[in-house]
Amino acid sequence: MTDRVIAIADSGRAKPLPKMGVLRAAGPLADTLGRQIRDLRISVTDRCNFRCTYCMPKEVFGPDYAFLDRSKLLSFEEITRLARIFYSLGIEKVRLTGGEPLLRRNLERLIEMISSIGELDLTLTTNGSVLAKKARALRDAGLKRITVSLDSLDDRVFRAMNDADFPVAKVLEGIDVAHAVGLAPIKINMVVKRGVNEDSIVPMARHFRGSGHILRFIEFMDVGATNGWRMDDVVPSAEVIKMIDADRAIEPLDPNYEGEVAGRWRYKDGSGEIGVISSVTQAFCRTCTRARLSTEGMLYTCLFASSGYDLRSMIRSSATDAEIAATVAAIWRTRADRYSEIRTAETARERKVEMSYIGG
Ligand code: SAM
Ligand code: SF4
Ligand code: SF4
């Protein structure tokens, strides 16, 4: 196979796929910094019914925004084939995301298909808007656990942040139904933005304390190129921890596994656990084992990438599974990404692929 540049994708540039000659024999699949490939995040749609100001601001993702054409999306068969190939390379965990993954029709079918691949930790991140309706079908299809995003319990604040006037109550109902059908543990993601929802931190912690759900506070990140990120808008996790500790004492916990993204804390009185995802103030690139597959089959080796590798063209050609696996392996072996460790005000302004496209 010759070195070739595949057509530019709708979002982000395509890098040349490596030559077969560069491929090496099987062995532990580690990148240039010794990080093994372990997780695959799959974006199943670039569309969303929310317009969270930190992710898909309305001014950019307005009524005229051109989302990907259906023909460009990977089919469930194509996604499953790629997931199987990644599994053969050592992936242990798959997360379905987007955009809003529950907007992809018949997603349960994809969950069934991926579940049949093997011993995979399969999960999904959702804004919870249609979770009450879908939780049971997702569980029946083989989903074990779920992450739901919720930025505030204050209806006014939440409606403003999702910018779709969507009420808190419906997301809470989705969480309750997910819990009732046995999706556990449920993780709740709260993006914290200075001056926007800081006042929601302690009420959120109080609400989920003792529920068995794990609330995780995420630092506002400079993903994409449209969310107007400024360092001043980031509330460092250390500040969040201090606020919660002042309300009810907490202490740090060891990570569940090497490379866990969230720093873990527990209430000293035994009423549960919280997490902080400090991608801005305490970068965790050193242990980053995640690959990302976009809705149209581009492979990205970092959330902050500006270009990826077009795997869709390979699977729509006559390439065999072994050839695709060898190509992915060659890509991973040359990976050197560590964006969060080298972030500056300059890099924050660089053009990057949008999170709704690459998958959060
Ligand atoms: N639509 C689903 C949802 O919101 O859960 C899945 C996709 S979303 C891109 C995945 C996660 O990324 C969500 O928890 C969301 O809050 C988070 N996220 C999006 N933009 C972010 C940003 N600028 N900084 C930090 N987290 C962000
Ligand atoms: Fe949609 Fe999720 Fe992005 Fe919000 S964070 S706009 S729910 S994709
Ligand atoms: Fe991984 Fe890139 Fe995030 Fe670093 S910046 S943790 S390499 S996705």
Side-chain angles (χ1 to χ4, degrees), residues 31 33 35 221 261 279 283-292 300-305 335-343:
D31 68 10
L33 301 174
R35 300 168 297 189
M221 294 186 285
V261 169
S279 13
F284 38 78
C285 300
R286 244 177 336 104
T287 55
C288 179
T289 54
R290 286 174 294 283
R292 291 181 151 86
Y300 294 90
T301 55
C302 179
L303 178 57
F304 296 90
R335 175 184 190 244
D337 303 288
R338 46 190 281 272
Y339 176 84
S340 288
E341 288 180 354
I342 55 173
R343 173 188 285 108

PDB file of all heavy atoms in Angstrom, residues 31 33 35 221 261 279 283-292 300-305 335-343, ligand 3:
ATOM      1  N   ASP A  31       2.669   3.648  22.618  1.00  0.00           N
ATOM      2  CA  ASP A  31       3.060   4.793  21.800  1.00  0.00           C
ATOM      3  C   ASP A  31       4.479   5.245  22.168  1.00  0.00           C
ATOM      4  O   ASP A  31       5.172   4.572  22.935  1.00  0.00           O
ATOM      5  CB  ASP A  31       2.007   5.913  21.920  1.00  0.00           C
ATOM      6  CG  ASP A  31       1.969   6.538  23.309  1.00  0.00           C
ATOM      7  OD1 ASP A  31       2.861   6.255  24.133  1.00  0.00           O
ATOM      8  OD2 ASP A  31       1.036   7.325  23.576  1.00  0.00           O
ATOM      9  N   LEU A  33       5.486   7.364  24.116  1.00  0.00           N
ATOM     10  CA  LEU A  33       5.674   7.668  25.544  1.00  0.00           C
ATOM     11  C   LEU A  33       5.352   6.448  26.408  1.00  0.00           C
ATOM     12  O   LEU A  33       5.149   6.567  27.618  1.00  0.00           O
ATOM     13  CB  LEU A  33       4.809   8.872  25.952  1.00  0.00           C
ATOM     14  CG  LEU A  33       5.109  10.168  25.174  1.00  0.00           C
ATOM     15  CD1 LEU A  33       4.128  11.276  25.531  1.00  0.00           C
ATOM     16  CD2 LEU A  33       6.542  10.634  25.446  1.00  0.00           C
ATOM     17  N   ARG A  35       2.645   4.565  26.388  1.00  0.00           N
ATOM     18  CA  ARG A  35       1.236   4.432  26.802  1.00  0.00           C
ATOM     19  C   ARG A  35       0.543   3.399  25.924  1.00  0.00           C
ATOM     20  O   ARG A  35       0.506   3.555  24.694  1.00  0.00           O
ATOM     21  CB  ARG A  35       0.527   5.791  26.693  1.00  0.00           C
ATOM     22  CG  ARG A  35       1.157   6.850  27.576  1.00  0.00           C
ATOM     23  CD  ARG A  35       0.641   8.245  27.235  1.00  0.00           C
ATOM     24  NE  ARG A  35       0.976   8.665  25.892  1.00  0.00           N
ATOM     25  CZ  ARG A  35       0.794   9.895  25.424  1.00  0.00           C
ATOM     26  NH1 ARG A  35       0.262  10.827  26.194  1.00  0.00           N
ATOM     27  NH2 ARG A  35       1.128  10.190  24.178  1.00  0.00           N
ATOM     28  N   MET A 221     -12.755  23.101  29.386  1.00  0.00           N
ATOM     29  CA  MET A 221     -11.580  22.899  28.527  1.00  0.00           C
ATOM     30  C   MET A 221     -11.664  23.685  27.219  1.00  0.00           C
ATOM     31  O   MET A 221     -12.753  23.988  26.736  1.00  0.00           O
ATOM     32  CB  MET A 221     -11.448  21.409  28.174  1.00  0.00           C
ATOM     33  CG  MET A 221     -11.146  20.515  29.340  1.00  0.00           C
ATOM     34  SD  MET A 221     -10.841  18.837  28.783  1.00  0.00           S
ATOM     35  CE  MET A 221     -12.479  18.236  28.389  1.00  0.00           C
ATOM     36  N   VAL A 261      -9.018   8.812  34.584  1.00  0.00           N
ATOM     37  CA  VAL A 261      -9.041  10.241  34.294  1.00  0.00           C
ATOM     38  C   VAL A 261      -9.397  11.073  35.525  1.00  0.00           C
ATOM     39  O   VAL A 261      -8.811  12.117  35.783  1.00  0.00           O
ATOM     40  CB  VAL A 261     -10.056  10.499  33.161  1.00  0.00           C
ATOM     41  CG1 VAL A 261     -10.320  11.973  32.993  1.00  0.00           C
ATOM     42  CG2 VAL A 261      -9.547   9.892  31.861  1.00  0.00           C
ATOM     43  N   SER A 279      -8.257  18.390  33.697  1.00  0.00           N
ATOM     44  CA  SER A 279      -7.454  18.338  32.471  1.00  0.00           C
ATOM     45  C   SER A 279      -6.677  19.613  32.219  1.00  0.00           C
ATOM     46  O   SER A 279      -5.721  19.606  31.460  1.00  0.00           O
ATOM     47  CB  SER A 279      -8.342  18.025  31.276  1.00  0.00           C
ATOM     48  OG  SER A 279      -9.673  18.166  31.601  1.00  0.00           O
ATOM     49  N   ALA A 283      -2.670  18.126  34.249  1.00  0.00           N
ATOM     50  CA  ALA A 283      -2.787  17.298  33.044  1.00  0.00           C
ATOM     51  C   ALA A 283      -2.457  15.839  33.344  1.00  0.00           C
ATOM     52  O   ALA A 283      -1.588  15.557  34.160  1.00  0.00           O
ATOM     53  CB  ALA A 283      -1.840  17.838  31.982  1.00  0.00           C
ATOM     54  N   PHE A 284      -3.189  14.936  32.677  1.00  0.00           N
ATOM     55  CA  PHE A 284      -2.937  13.504  32.906  1.00  0.00           C
ATOM     56  C   PHE A 284      -2.534  12.809  31.607  1.00  0.00           C
ATOM     57  O   PHE A 284      -2.814  11.631  31.400  1.00  0.00           O
ATOM     58  CB  PHE A 284      -4.158  12.820  33.544  1.00  0.00           C
ATOM     59  CG  PHE A 284      -5.481  13.321  33.016  1.00  0.00           C
ATOM     60  CD1 PHE A 284      -5.956  12.896  31.791  1.00  0.00           C
ATOM     61  CD2 PHE A 284      -6.237  14.229  33.756  1.00  0.00           C
ATOM     62  CE1 PHE A 284      -7.161  13.360  31.304  1.00  0.00           C
ATOM     63  CE2 PHE A 284      -7.450  14.703  33.279  1.00  0.00           C
ATOM     64  CZ  PHE A 284      -7.918  14.267  32.047  1.00  0.00           C
ATOM     65  N   CYS A 285      -1.855  13.549  30.726  1.00  0.00           N
ATOM     66  CA  CYS A 285      -1.437  12.967  29.440  1.00  0.00           C
ATOM     67  C   CYS A 285      -0.528  11.755  29.632  1.00  0.00           C
ATOM     68  O   CYS A 285      -0.562  10.815  28.832  1.00  0.00           O
ATOM     69  CB  CYS A 285      -0.698  14.011  28.614  1.00  0.00           C
ATOM     70  SG  CYS A 285      -1.677  15.461  28.241  1.00  0.00           S
ATOM     71  N   ARG A 286       0.286  11.800  30.666  1.00  0.00           N
ATOM     72  CA  ARG A 286       1.263  10.723  30.921  1.00  0.00           C
ATOM     73  C   ARG A 286       0.617   9.339  30.904  1.00  0.00           C
ATOM     74  O   ARG A 286       1.251   8.363  30.560  1.00  0.00           O
ATOM     75  CB  ARG A 286       1.886  10.948  32.306  1.00  0.00           C
ATOM     76  CG  ARG A 286       3.344  11.228  32.303  1.00  0.00           C
ATOM     77  CD  ARG A 286       3.881  11.507  33.704  1.00  0.00           C
ATOM     78  NE  ARG A 286       2.904  11.977  34.672  1.00  0.00           N
ATOM     79  CZ  ARG A 286       2.380  11.236  35.632  1.00  0.00           C
ATOM     80  NH1 ARG A 286       2.739   9.988  35.776  1.00  0.00           N
ATOM     81  NH2 ARG A 286       1.494  11.745  36.480  1.00  0.00           N
ATOM     82  N   THR A 287      -0.657   9.294  31.333  1.00  0.00           N
ATOM     83  CA  THR A 287      -1.322   7.992  31.421  1.00  0.00           C
ATOM     84  C   THR A 287      -2.502   7.896  30.444  1.00  0.00           C
ATOM     85  O   THR A 287      -3.400   7.084  30.642  1.00  0.00           O
ATOM     86  CB  THR A 287      -1.833   7.753  32.855  1.00  0.00           C
ATOM     87  OG1 THR A 287      -2.674   8.856  33.213  1.00  0.00           O
ATOM     88  CG2 THR A 287      -0.702   7.631  33.849  1.00  0.00           C
ATOM     89  N   CYS A 288      -2.493   8.711  29.415  1.00  0.00           N
ATOM     90  CA  CYS A 288      -3.651   8.745  28.503  1.00  0.00           C
ATOM     91  C   CYS A 288      -3.600   7.588  27.505  1.00  0.00           C
ATOM     92  O   CYS A 288      -2.721   7.517  26.658  1.00  0.00           O
ATOM     93  CB  CYS A 288      -3.717  10.071  27.769  1.00  0.00           C
ATOM     94  SG  CYS A 288      -5.085  10.141  26.617  1.00  0.00           S
ATOM     95  N   THR A 289      -4.573   6.708  27.603  1.00  0.00           N
ATOM     96  CA  THR A 289      -4.589   5.480  26.791  1.00  0.00           C
ATOM     97  C   THR A 289      -5.771   5.478  25.814  1.00  0.00           C
ATOM     98  O   THR A 289      -6.211   4.431  25.365  1.00  0.00           O
ATOM     99  CB  THR A 289      -4.715   4.267  27.733  1.00  0.00           C
ATOM    100  OG1 THR A 289      -5.874   4.462  28.574  1.00  0.00           O
ATOM    101  CG2 THR A 289      -3.499   4.108  28.625  1.00  0.00           C
ATOM    102  N   ARG A 290      -6.299   6.675  25.508  1.00  0.00           N
ATOM    103  CA  ARG A 290      -7.539   6.755  24.750  1.00  0.00           C
ATOM    104  C   ARG A 290      -7.348   7.071  23.259  1.00  0.00           C
ATOM    105  O   ARG A 290      -6.621   7.995  22.908  1.00  0.00           O
ATOM    106  CB  ARG A 290      -8.436   7.854  25.348  1.00  0.00           C
ATOM    107  CG  ARG A 290      -9.077   7.463  26.663  1.00  0.00           C
ATOM    108  CD  ARG A 290      -9.818   8.619  27.288  1.00  0.00           C
ATOM    109  NE  ARG A 290      -8.912   9.692  27.697  1.00  0.00           N
ATOM    110  CZ  ARG A 290      -8.165   9.641  28.771  1.00  0.00           C
ATOM    111  NH1 ARG A 290      -8.195   8.603  29.554  1.00  0.00           N
ATOM    112  NH2 ARG A 290      -7.371  10.648  29.089  1.00  0.00           N
ATOM    113  N   ALA A 291      -8.063   6.298  22.445  1.00  0.00           N
ATOM    114  CA  ALA A 291      -8.147   6.610  21.022  1.00  0.00           C
ATOM    115  C   ALA A 291      -9.587   7.047  20.756  1.00  0.00           C
ATOM    116  O   ALA A 291     -10.498   6.635  21.470  1.00  0.00           O
ATOM    117  CB  ALA A 291      -7.819   5.370  20.205  1.00  0.00           C
ATOM    118  N   ARG A 292      -9.771   7.872  19.743  1.00  0.00           N
ATOM    119  CA  ARG A 292     -11.117   8.378  19.447  1.00  0.00           C
ATOM    120  C   ARG A 292     -11.463   8.159  17.985  1.00  0.00           C
ATOM    121  O   ARG A 292     -10.658   8.463  17.097  1.00  0.00           O
ATOM    122  CB  ARG A 292     -11.182   9.874  19.762  1.00  0.00           C
ATOM    123  CG  ARG A 292     -11.091  10.163  21.238  1.00  0.00           C
ATOM    124  CD  ARG A 292     -11.173  11.654  21.503  1.00  0.00           C
ATOM    125  NE  ARG A 292     -11.751  11.895  22.814  1.00  0.00           N
ATOM    126  CZ  ARG A 292     -11.048  11.911  23.939  1.00  0.00           C
ATOM    127  NH1 ARG A 292      -9.756  11.717  23.903  1.00  0.00           N
ATOM    128  NH2 ARG A 292     -11.640  12.120  25.088  1.00  0.00           N
ATOM    129  N   TYR A 300      -8.569   9.727  15.889  1.00  0.00           N
ATOM    130  CA  TYR A 300      -7.799  10.789  16.536  1.00  0.00           C
ATOM    131  C   TYR A 300      -7.103  10.209  17.757  1.00  0.00           C
ATOM    132  O   TYR A 300      -7.699   9.421  18.491  1.00  0.00           O
ATOM    133  CB  TYR A 300      -8.713  11.940  16.970  1.00  0.00           C
ATOM    134  CG  TYR A 300      -9.330  12.667  15.801  1.00  0.00           C
ATOM    135  CD1 TYR A 300     -10.549  12.275  15.280  1.00  0.00           C
ATOM    136  CD2 TYR A 300      -8.659  13.722  15.198  1.00  0.00           C
ATOM    137  CE1 TYR A 300     -11.103  12.913  14.183  1.00  0.00           C
ATOM    138  CE2 TYR A 300      -9.202  14.378  14.094  1.00  0.00           C
ATOM    139  CZ  TYR A 300     -10.421  13.970  13.599  1.00  0.00           C
ATOM    140  OH  TYR A 300     -10.948  14.605  12.508  1.00  0.00           O
ATOM    141  N   THR A 301      -5.881  10.638  17.986  1.00  0.00           N
ATOM    142  CA  THR A 301      -5.140  10.106  19.124  1.00  0.00           C
ATOM    143  C   THR A 301      -5.097  11.102  20.278  1.00  0.00           C
ATOM    144  O   THR A 301      -4.443  10.852  21.279  1.00  0.00           O
ATOM    145  CB  THR A 301      -3.710   9.694  18.703  1.00  0.00           C
ATOM    146  OG1 THR A 301      -3.079  10.828  18.093  1.00  0.00           O
ATOM    147  CG2 THR A 301      -3.739   8.527  17.727  1.00  0.00           C
ATOM    148  N   CYS A 302      -5.806  12.221  20.129  1.00  0.00           N
ATOM    149  CA  CYS A 302      -5.889  13.203  21.220  1.00  0.00           C
ATOM    150  C   CYS A 302      -7.168  14.016  21.044  1.00  0.00           C
ATOM    151  O   CYS A 302      -7.562  14.329  19.916  1.00  0.00           O
ATOM    152  CB  CYS A 302      -4.672  14.131  21.197  1.00  0.00           C
ATOM    153  SG  CYS A 302      -4.702  15.407  22.485  1.00  0.00           S
ATOM    154  N   LEU A 303      -7.789  14.371  22.162  1.00  0.00           N
ATOM    155  CA  LEU A 303      -9.013  15.184  22.132  1.00  0.00           C
ATOM    156  C   LEU A 303      -8.760  16.554  21.502  1.00  0.00           C
ATOM    157  O   LEU A 303      -9.671  17.192  20.995  1.00  0.00           O
ATOM    158  CB  LEU A 303      -9.512  15.345  23.585  1.00  0.00           C
ATOM    159  CG  LEU A 303     -10.736  16.178  23.865  1.00  0.00           C
ATOM    160  CD1 LEU A 303     -11.949  15.690  23.083  1.00  0.00           C
ATOM    161  CD2 LEU A 303     -11.064  16.162  25.350  1.00  0.00           C
ATOM    162  N   PHE A 304      -7.523  17.003  21.569  1.00  0.00           N
ATOM    163  CA  PHE A 304      -7.207  18.348  21.089  1.00  0.00           C
ATOM    164  C   PHE A 304      -6.538  18.329  19.710  1.00  0.00           C
ATOM    165  O   PHE A 304      -5.863  19.268  19.324  1.00  0.00           O
ATOM    166  CB  PHE A 304      -6.308  19.047  22.115  1.00  0.00           C
ATOM    167  CG  PHE A 304      -7.001  19.243  23.427  1.00  0.00           C
ATOM    168  CD1 PHE A 304      -6.927  18.278  24.418  1.00  0.00           C
ATOM    169  CD2 PHE A 304      -7.763  20.373  23.673  1.00  0.00           C
ATOM    170  CE1 PHE A 304      -7.581  18.435  25.636  1.00  0.00           C
ATOM    171  CE2 PHE A 304      -8.425  20.548  24.884  1.00  0.00           C
ATOM    172  CZ  PHE A 304      -8.339  19.578  25.863  1.00  0.00           C
ATOM    173  N   ALA A 305      -6.728  17.247  18.991  1.00  0.00           N
ATOM    174  CA  ALA A 305      -6.080  17.106  17.686  1.00  0.00           C
ATOM    175  C   ALA A 305      -6.676  18.066  16.664  1.00  0.00           C
ATOM    176  O   ALA A 305      -7.823  18.483  16.770  1.00  0.00           O
ATOM    177  CB  ALA A 305      -6.242  15.678  17.200  1.00  0.00           C
ATOM    178  N   ARG A 335       2.403   7.777  18.132  1.00  0.00           N
ATOM    179  CA  ARG A 335       1.670   8.796  18.890  1.00  0.00           C
ATOM    180  C   ARG A 335       2.571   9.477  19.925  1.00  0.00           C
ATOM    181  O   ARG A 335       3.282   8.808  20.668  1.00  0.00           O
ATOM    182  CB  ARG A 335       0.488   8.127  19.605  1.00  0.00           C
ATOM    183  CG  ARG A 335      -0.308   9.024  20.530  1.00  0.00           C
ATOM    184  CD  ARG A 335      -1.370   8.176  21.219  1.00  0.00           C
ATOM    185  NE  ARG A 335      -2.335   8.937  21.962  1.00  0.00           N
ATOM    186  CZ  ARG A 335      -2.485   8.851  23.288  1.00  0.00           C
ATOM    187  NH1 ARG A 335      -1.706   8.041  23.997  1.00  0.00           N
ATOM    188  NH2 ARG A 335      -3.396   9.563  23.904  1.00  0.00           N
ATOM    189  N   ALA A 336       2.501  10.816  19.949  1.00  0.00           N
ATOM    190  CA  ALA A 336       3.316  11.557  20.920  1.00  0.00           C
ATOM    191  C   ALA A 336       2.485  12.639  21.615  1.00  0.00           C
ATOM    192  O   ALA A 336       3.029  13.539  22.249  1.00  0.00           O
ATOM    193  CB  ALA A 336       4.513  12.186  20.209  1.00  0.00           C
ATOM    194  N   ASP A 337       1.147  12.563  21.513  1.00  0.00           N
ATOM    195  CA  ASP A 337       0.271  13.634  22.016  1.00  0.00           C
ATOM    196  C   ASP A 337       0.422  13.860  23.515  1.00  0.00           C
ATOM    197  O   ASP A 337       0.452  12.909  24.301  1.00  0.00           O
ATOM    198  CB  ASP A 337      -1.202  13.280  21.732  1.00  0.00           C
ATOM    199  CG  ASP A 337      -1.458  13.040  20.273  1.00  0.00           C
ATOM    200  OD1 ASP A 337      -1.456  14.003  19.515  1.00  0.00           O
ATOM    201  OD2 ASP A 337      -1.641  11.864  19.904  1.00  0.00           O
ATOM    202  N   ARG A 338       0.481  15.132  23.893  1.00  0.00           N
ATOM    203  CA  ARG A 338       0.471  15.508  25.313  1.00  0.00           C
ATOM    204  C   ARG A 338       0.013  16.966  25.424  1.00  0.00           C
ATOM    205  O   ARG A 338       0.599  17.779  26.135  1.00  0.00           O
ATOM    206  CB  ARG A 338       1.836  15.267  25.962  1.00  0.00           C
ATOM    207  CG  ARG A 338       3.029  15.773  25.156  1.00  0.00           C
ATOM    208  CD  ARG A 338       4.345  15.293  25.721  1.00  0.00           C
ATOM    209  NE  ARG A 338       4.749  16.067  26.866  1.00  0.00           N
ATOM    210  CZ  ARG A 338       5.464  17.200  26.819  1.00  0.00           C
ATOM    211  NH1 ARG A 338       5.842  17.707  25.639  1.00  0.00           N
ATOM    212  NH2 ARG A 338       5.804  17.828  27.906  1.00  0.00           N
ATOM    213  N   TYR A 339      -1.082  17.242  24.716  1.00  0.00           N
ATOM    214  CA  TYR A 339      -1.538  18.630  24.583  1.00  0.00           C
ATOM    215  C   TYR A 339      -1.717  19.338  25.926  1.00  0.00           C
ATOM    216  O   TYR A 339      -1.259  20.463  26.109  1.00  0.00           O
ATOM    217  CB  TYR A 339      -2.868  18.682  23.799  1.00  0.00           C
ATOM    218  CG  TYR A 339      -3.407  20.086  23.723  1.00  0.00           C
ATOM    219  CD1 TYR A 339      -2.966  20.959  22.737  1.00  0.00           C
ATOM    220  CD2 TYR A 339      -4.310  20.560  24.680  1.00  0.00           C
ATOM    221  CE1 TYR A 339      -3.412  22.264  22.692  1.00  0.00           C
ATOM    222  CE2 TYR A 339      -4.764  21.867  24.648  1.00  0.00           C
ATOM    223  CZ  TYR A 339      -4.313  22.708  23.648  1.00  0.00           C
ATOM    224  OH  TYR A 339      -4.754  24.008  23.622  1.00  0.00           O
ATOM    225  N   SER A 340      -2.383  18.683  26.880  1.00  0.00           N
ATOM    226  CA  SER A 340      -2.701  19.381  28.128  1.00  0.00           C
ATOM    227  C   SER A 340      -1.449  19.724  28.919  1.00  0.00           C
ATOM    228  O   SER A 340      -1.458  20.661  29.731  1.00  0.00           O
ATOM    229  CB  SER A 340      -3.656  18.547  28.989  1.00  0.00           C
ATOM    230  OG  SER A 340      -4.928  18.558  28.378  1.00  0.00           O
ATOM    231  N   GLU A 341      -0.379  18.982  28.678  1.00  0.00           N
ATOM    232  CA  GLU A 341       0.871  19.290  29.392  1.00  0.00           C
ATOM    233  C   GLU A 341       1.569  20.506  28.802  1.00  0.00           C
ATOM    234  O   GLU A 341       2.383  21.136  29.466  1.00  0.00           O
ATOM    235  CB  GLU A 341       1.814  18.079  29.327  1.00  0.00           C
ATOM    236  CG  GLU A 341       1.348  16.928  30.186  1.00  0.00           C
ATOM    237  CD  GLU A 341       2.279  15.726  30.125  1.00  0.00           C
ATOM    238  OE1 GLU A 341       3.243  15.735  29.333  1.00  0.00           O
ATOM    239  OE2 GLU A 341       2.027  14.770  30.864  1.00  0.00           O
ATOM    240  N   ILE A 342       1.272  20.796  27.547  1.00  0.00           N
ATOM    241  CA  ILE A 342       1.998  21.894  26.893  1.00  0.00           C
ATOM    242  C   ILE A 342       1.062  23.048  26.512  1.00  0.00           C
ATOM    243  O   ILE A 342       1.427  23.926  25.748  1.00  0.00           O
ATOM    244  CB  ILE A 342       2.735  21.382  25.633  1.00  0.00           C
ATOM    245  CG1 ILE A 342       1.751  20.685  24.688  1.00  0.00           C
ATOM    246  CG2 ILE A 342       3.865  20.420  26.004  1.00  0.00           C
ATOM    247  CD1 ILE A 342       2.350  20.302  23.350  1.00  0.00           C
ATOM    248  N   ARG A 343      -0.155  23.046  27.093  1.00  0.00           N
ATOM    249  CA  ARG A 343      -1.148  24.073  26.770  1.00  0.00           C
ATOM    250  C   ARG A 343      -0.632  25.464  27.145  1.00  0.00           C
ATOM    251  O   ARG A 343      -0.058  25.663  28.204  1.00  0.00           O
ATOM    252  CB  ARG A 343      -2.438  23.785  27.530  1.00  0.00           C
ATOM    253  CG  ARG A 343      -3.486  24.868  27.414  1.00  0.00           C
ATOM    254  CD  ARG A 343      -4.654  24.614  28.333  1.00  0.00           C
ATOM    255  NE  ARG A 343      -5.551  23.569  27.871  1.00  0.00           N
ATOM    256  CZ  ARG A 343      -5.648  22.372  28.419  1.00  0.00           C
ATOM    257  NH1 ARG A 343      -4.884  22.065  29.444  1.00  0.00           N
ATOM    258  NH2 ARG A 343      -6.502  21.478  27.965  1.00  0.00           N
TER     259      ARG A 343
HETATM  260 FE1  SF4 B   3      -4.906  12.482  26.265  1.00  0.00          FE
HETATM  261 FE2  SF4 B   3      -4.622  14.514  24.606  1.00  0.00          FE
HETATM  262 FE3  SF4 B   3      -6.095  14.793  26.814  1.00  0.00          FE
HETATM  263 FE4  SF4 B   3      -3.424  14.599  26.988  1.00  0.00          FE
HETATM  264  S1  SF4 B   3      -4.572  16.223  26.050  1.00  0.00           S
HETATM  265  S2  SF4 B   3      -4.949  13.523  28.251  1.00  0.00           S
HETATM  266  S3  SF4 B   3      -3.007  13.168  25.297  1.00  0.00           S
HETATM  267  S4  SF4 B   3      -6.546  13.436  25.072  1.00  0.00           S
END
